[in-house]
Amino acid sequence: MAATAKEVTPTTSPSSDLVSRYAPEESRKGADIIVEALEREGVKHVFAYPGEASVDIHQALTRSNVIRNVLPRHEQGGVFAAEGYARSSGLPGVCIATSGPGATNLVSGLADAMIDSIPLVAITGQVPRRMIGTDAFQETPIVEVTRSITKHNYLVLDIDDIPRIVSEAFFLATSGRPGPVLIDVPKDIQEQLAVPNWNQPFRLSGYMSRLPKEPSEAHLEQIVRLIFESKKPVLYVGGGCLNSGEELKRFAELTGIPVTCTLMGLGSFPTSDPLSLQMLGMHGTVYANYAVDKSDLLLSFGVRFDDHVTGKLEAFASRAKIVHIDVDSAEIGKNKQPHVSVHSDVKLALKGINRTLESKGAKLELDYTAWWEELIEQKVKYPLTYKTFGEAIPPQYAVQLLYELTDGNVIISTGVGQHQMWAAQFYKYKRPRQWLTSGGFGAMGFGLPAAIGAAVANPGDVVVDIDGDGSFMMNVQELATIRVENLPIKILLLNNQHLGMVVQWEDRFCKANRADSYLGNPSNKVYFHGNVFGCPWKDCMEKLVLLFGAVDVLMRGSLLGEGDEASPLLRGSQISAPFVASFSSRGPNPGSGNLLKGSKVTPAYEAVARTALVLQFAYGASHLNLATTENPGLVYDFDKMSCTISMPWRPHLVGTKSINGSSMLPRFGYDAPTDPSVQPQHEKRQTVNCRCFQAKSPQYRSSIYVQCYTIKALKGLQITVKSTSLLFTYPLQNRSFKASKFAFHIKEEFIAKLPLTMAATTANTPLLKPSPLASSSKSSIPISKSVLHFRTIPRKLTPPRSLSVSSSLSQSNSTPGSTASAVAPTKAPTHDFISRYAPDEPRKGADILVEALEREGVKDVFAYPGGASLEIHQALTRSKLIRNVLPRHEQGGVFAAEGYARSSGLPGVCIATSGPGATNLVSGLADAMIDSIPLVAITGQVPRRMIGTDAFQETPIVEVTRSITKHNYLVLDIDDIPRIVSEAFFLATSGRPGPVLIDVPKDIQQQLAVPNWNQPLRLSGYMSRLPKEPNESLLEQIVRLVFESKKPVLYVGGGCLNSNEELKRFVELTGIPVTTTLMGLGSFPSPDPLSLQMLGMHGTVYANYAVDNSDLLLAFGVRFDDRVTGKLEAFASRAKIVHIDIDSAEIGKNKQPHVSVCSDVKLALKGINKILESKGAKVKLDYSAWRNELNEQKVKYPLNYKTFGEAIPPQYAIQVLDELTDGNAIISTGVGQHQMWAAQFYKYKKPRQWLTSGGLGAMGFGLPAAIGAAVANPGSVVVDIDGDGSFMMNVQELATIRVENLPIKILLLNNQHLGMVVQWEDRFYKANRAHTYLGNPSNESDIFPNMLKFAEACGIPAARVTKKEDLRQAIQKMLETPGPYLLDVIVPHQEHVLPMIPGGGAFKDVITDGDGRTKY
């Protein structure tokens, strides 16, 4: 794979060996040329997800007899699967995606392949060439976005270049240092006909001249000489040696030099070989790191000297001479300067060295016995080991057991985190390409799709994904692909309910302060032997796995309730109904052994597990031995509660649950005593009333301790616990106390007296029935049946922003996009803000960052933690004002921040770590950019000194996002943080709103400083370009045109969302009919008689008729995008055009106006209205004849649909929802047919009711956007109208909805297909299905996957409806059920969204009839 220019051989079959299905001179589509070019490169499998811009490629794939497409359920799953294919086979992986979000969803995989040197070819569809640069639907400059994270990329502008470009792409991907190459193919190129020339020469002379040559004989002699001189040599090998396994073994055999591997190099030398020291680096073996530290010669072959291996560079191998051989000259000397370097393919270099050694008889002369004795002593002293605690399963043991049962012969893939390191440490890899992991990039969610790629590439091998719960959830939708493709993948899930590696850092460096690292349900912590989302494993993971059929799960455990009589389930077993098991990798689980040995699970326990707000177990310890009692635990509600006493499963601080900035739960911990007389060492932690905590002393393990700082009179003190069902007191023992602190332990005999009925009180507690349209609680956490009422201390409110914007479903008099004269900075004045720090008190950069957010009025953020953002999350736990809503994927976080912004008008804030965390934001940033959404994204970055070194999880996110953000920052000075944050919010909300990214290196976050909050903004150039007050003469000119017109039409877009009152007044004054874009829905009430509803491709006939026949088009806050205009020359061809927009770049970009005003629409409308009022417009203007003409069109071409028996028309479902909510709900959607039906059949009354990904068209948007809307609007009904394809893309966010208890209703229009692509196939491709069926082809009668099981796994009520007559009642129940709810509405896939103007067509081409039941 990493070969020299001389040795490179294409991985394809020669063109002469391929029998083309076309005659030599036969013309064919560009898409068919692409597919045949792939065939000629030897491609057998691709991982492709279809979309409009790639539909022709998918159609061509169906005509190929050579290539099989494995359909992923998310493009990120596709690119990771292609990586797994390449990593396990050595052949280049191929993935295909559509334009826009399909392309941006590949970014994390491309960055991963780049840093790990994986040969990958990614092909993306693009909008037609004539539309590039017009901000067309799903247009993204993917070549610009990926320039810094691919080895090379292409934008195809000539169909004749396709054969050469594809051939070059494969050569580039596999030669030299392998890497990813991207090919962007416009749709019109795919559709064009041509005769390909397969014999074009490469245009890579510069690149080929830089490829490494044969290694110099002199250099090889020098290396051999150093080996003979050395006493303590070490061979340090990396991923660059994966193709040199045999040569490496021969070298070790000749020399006897010990071998250590990087994470990427595992398998290049057998781990079980006596010469192996296993992995080195941060989590490497002690003896491997000892060997490097003490060595006098470090032979570095195919490595990068990355930070997770070297640590402190100056100290790494400081005693050794360093030899570095690598195929990439850029790596040599980049991080560590070698004494001898060879720029060559490692395979060729090793062959030369071995040849030299053999000629010298090295085996007789080299003797490293003393060195080996020293290393063996270290192996004995510091072996890889772990501790066991009762029957709790050490994760290391699970991996060891897997190794024993498979004899070390399976292919292992992993996610990223602790499980990844344990898989690297405790599985013994025998050969290259057994080990698949995201090494340098550290991409969570990699393991499951990578296993798919490996299983496809290696059909005869066993593939096991060793995964963690956090990583597994990130691409959990790919279980559907595993089932449909029937891949025999085994999933070993090490489930600890946490982001384990982050927790480890919190334990070690943050005083065990939990900062958004718990992934379970805090309101239902059932820590017995494993759970997911706070539900028992039996009730959750079984359903999640069985959701997709018989996916094998490799696990070990005992049968609950049968104790030792049950034999362990070891291999290839499905989870059976009574089976409860988990790999609890969060360390010891005291007492779990006693629970499992003969203990009985009572019915009351089941009730508790379902209904308790807080449930903690106290069992199995010698001092609190409750394992044999009928009482499984205690639960209290929080009504006037002054203390709670309970016990979690692990000896770590559970932490507080922050509600509205106040602590809801006391902190508590658990220890099991071996010596009750030992006084614990207390750790001070602030709580509300009291706290239970963990003892520092390891031998003090089983009492629960409560610590209080408020009681002065200690002798004879009693503690009172009050709940709705019980009031009891417990007398404290007489003991000596220091000052005003005291500690005590609760004895078993007292706790055992508590009535068991307490545990189930919540099940029968009557709750007030909330209105279906409004929460009955004013708390930001809505009431649910499964959560008790509680009361919290209201948080201190920050002063309002200087810049006022409209809130959800309410009217506003200002706009984020205001003029320069009206704009004020969004941050609250410093003197109004009360900081928790003294003015001159130094604080960490992370705390400065969080306080800067507080000063901007931020109340909610959507943040997923990681190594480079850990400090920010720690700082967030110290904030009393900001609440973090923890998503389960960074893409879910950025879409939720968008939903927050779209529904409230306030800027949304999302936070992610570096590397994959940052790149997972890319689709959301591109979406916010094209739809003009105010968003501030904050990303962690590696420390400044490591930038440019390819450090772990380093990505140039500023470069990646430069073309898809309004502005971005890399913070290089801690003193700049206050100014940069203030500027970011100002930029995001002023002018045309958009996303701003702030990249903050970790050392900046940790640095101490005293912030200056009064720094001026440095935006003079930007502010000078902001639009001014509209020119009076231009407004007069517009009014004159209005008076002259006979057939005017108002065409309004998203730029009018903050101008709805002015817009209504203008319509009232003039009587001009109004049509809106998709983004403008709600800016003018849809039920109004003057509303023509939406125009464009799927707009109403009468709206498009009005525009086509108008003589004056008043275009306010619009972009003239392709989905509205169709054929530009034919759009409003009879009309004079007036264009008012805040962004001067939009004026005249696509359609030249007759009159243009660069201004805030709100101010322009105010001015126009003022002029009209002065002229008495209402009397003079009469458009009744025009309105009558349009009313005739409304009668002739209404929005309608057909019904077929009992089948549910999807349009009818939305109509019923509109009726039952009276058009007052906030609606979010995914992208596809359901999106268009929601735009057509729901009647929007107000701005910010309608949340959808308009310009980018990002599938997976609806569910997380609903989360953001529910957080921003706690009193509103939020409904996600989604399709099954879109819903699956971010299905993991159901966990967030449940944990946050957000009352989101999900109306799932499930047609088992990618409906919009199917519609295009029906209309334009003779109904040829090209990877658009999302069900299970082997059993099409079943609904697959079972969405109800997803909801059930997350504790969300759900139902399915299949008959039209049952639909209204089902939707009514959904709305009336407190908390979240999913309604799976099965609809026919033959339905088409009508009307429809084909892409690039005009109004005369409108389609008003037909569906998939008709052939075209």
Side-chain angles (χ1 to χ4, degrees), residues 80 87 112 116 263 283 308 413-423 435-448 465-474 494 496 498-502 519 864-867 913-914 916-917 952-953:
F80 284 159
R87 289 173 187 258
D112 186 54
D116 280 357
L263 184 70
H283 296 292
H308 271 212
S413 71
T414 76
V416 170
Q418 287 180 315
H419 67 275
Q420 174 193 31
M421 294 300 107
W422 287 320
W435 166 248
L436 319 176
T437 198
S438 176
F441 195 59
M444 291 180 67
F446 175 85
L448 193 62
D465 171 30
I466 300 177
D467 227 323
D469 45 322
S471 273
F472 179 71
M473 280 299 292
M474 280 203 166
L494 304 182
N496 64 8
H498 290 73
L499 289 171
M501 194 61 83
V502 176
L519 298 178
Y864 196 93
T913 191
S914 61
F952 178 68
Q953 290 191 332

Side-chain angles (χ1 to χ4, degrees), residues 75-393:
E75 291 91 353
Q76 184 172 98
V79 68
F80 284 159
E83 274 202 83
Y85 186 97
R87 289 173 187 258
S88 64
S89 69
L91 300 173
V94 179
C95 59
I96 302 173
T98 191
S99 60
T104 55
N105 283 343
L106 302 181
V107 167
S108 289
L110 293 173
D112 186 54
M114 184 66 175
I115 200 166
D116 280 357
S117 307
I118 307 303
L120 191 72
V121 174
I123 299 172
T124 54
Q126 183 55 277
V127 299
R129 287 170 293 179
R130 68 183 182 279
M131 293 183 182
I132 293 175
T134 67
D135 287 340
F137 178 67
Q138 291 191 332
E139 181 198 350
T140 298
I142 195 63
V143 167
E144 295 302 317
V145 169
T146 61
R147 194 177 299 282
S148 60
I149 54 170
T150 52
K151 192 171 178 182
H152 193 62
N153 54 24
Y154 295 90
L155 173 61
V156 181
L157 295 175
D158 189 331
I159 191 172
D160 293 333
D161 289 337
I162 290 175
R164 173 183 59 81
I165 286 176
V166 171
S167 189
E168 284 183 5
F170 277 82
F171 180 76
L172 287 164
T174 55
S175 61
R177 179 178 176 178
V181 179
L182 180 134
I183 306 173
D184 199 28
V185 191
K187 186 174 173 66
D188 59 325
I189 293 280
Q190 299 172 36
E191 296 170 331
Q192 190 178 340
L193 293 173
V195 177
N197 174 10
W198 299 111
N199 299 309
Q200 301 176 49
F202 284 180
R203 299 179 186 174
L204 298 173
S205 56
Y207 170 78
M208 296 181 73
S209 68
R210 294 190 299 273
L211 285 174
K213 309 298 186 289
E214 290 276 355
S216 161
E217 197 68 32
H219 279 131
L220 302 185
E221 286 280 358
Q222 188 178 358
I223 293 169
V224 171
R225 187 164 61 250
L226 288 173
I227 291 171
F228 275 80
E229 294 170 357
S230 171
K231 302 297 182 186
K232 296 183 176 183
V234 172
L235 185 52
Y236 156 41
V237 301
C241 292
L242 289 176
N243 291 326
S244 315
E246 290 304 316
E247 291 77 14
L248 194 60
K249 281 192 281 187
R250 179 58 180 156
F251 175 81
E253 180 186 330
L254 288 168
T255 62
I257 295 176
V259 183
T260 182
C261 298
T262 66
L263 184 70
M264 289 300 298
L266 287 172
S268 55
F269 187 78
T271 312
S272 54
D273 191 286
L275 291 176
S276 173
L277 300 174
Q278 296 181 253
M279 187 174 70
L280 83 162
M282 179 179 283
H283 296 292
T285 62
V286 172
Y287 38 91
N289 288 308
Y290 174 92
V292 171
D293 188 59
K294 300 297 183 183
S295 67
D296 60 6
L297 177 64
L298 187 66
L299 300 167
S300 312
F301 294 172
V303 297
R304 294 191 296 111
F305 289 92
D306 66 285
D307 61 306
H308 271 212
V309 167
T310 64
K312 189 176 180 181
L313 266 172
E314 312 86 73
F316 181 76
S318 56
R319 301 172 174 85
K321 291 180 179 177
I322 296 176
V323 172
H324 194 180
I325 303 177
D326 201 86
V327 75
D328 185 1
S329 60
E331 289 297 337
I332 296 174
K334 183 174 76 174
N335 296 336
K336 191 78 174 176
Q337 196 61 42
H339 296 76
V340 178
S341 64
V342 179
H343 177 213
S344 169
D345 176 22
V346 176
K347 189 184 189 82
L348 296 179
L350 275 170
K351 281 183 177 179
I353 292 171
N354 290 344
R355 192 167 53 246
T356 306
L357 287 168
E358 287 165 346
S359 69
K360 293 180 179 290
K363 204 169 184 181
L364 299 176
E365 299 179 30
L366 295 173
D367 182 10
Y368 300 123
T369 305
W371 177 223
W372 265 111
E373 288 175 353
E374 186 178 340
L375 295 179
I376 288 170
E377 186 180 330
Q378 292 296 313
K379 280 190 172 186
V380 173
K381 189 176 181 181
Y382 298 108
L384 277 176
T385 186
Y386 52 88
K387 296 179 181 179
T388 59
F389 296 86
E391 287 197 359
I393 303 174

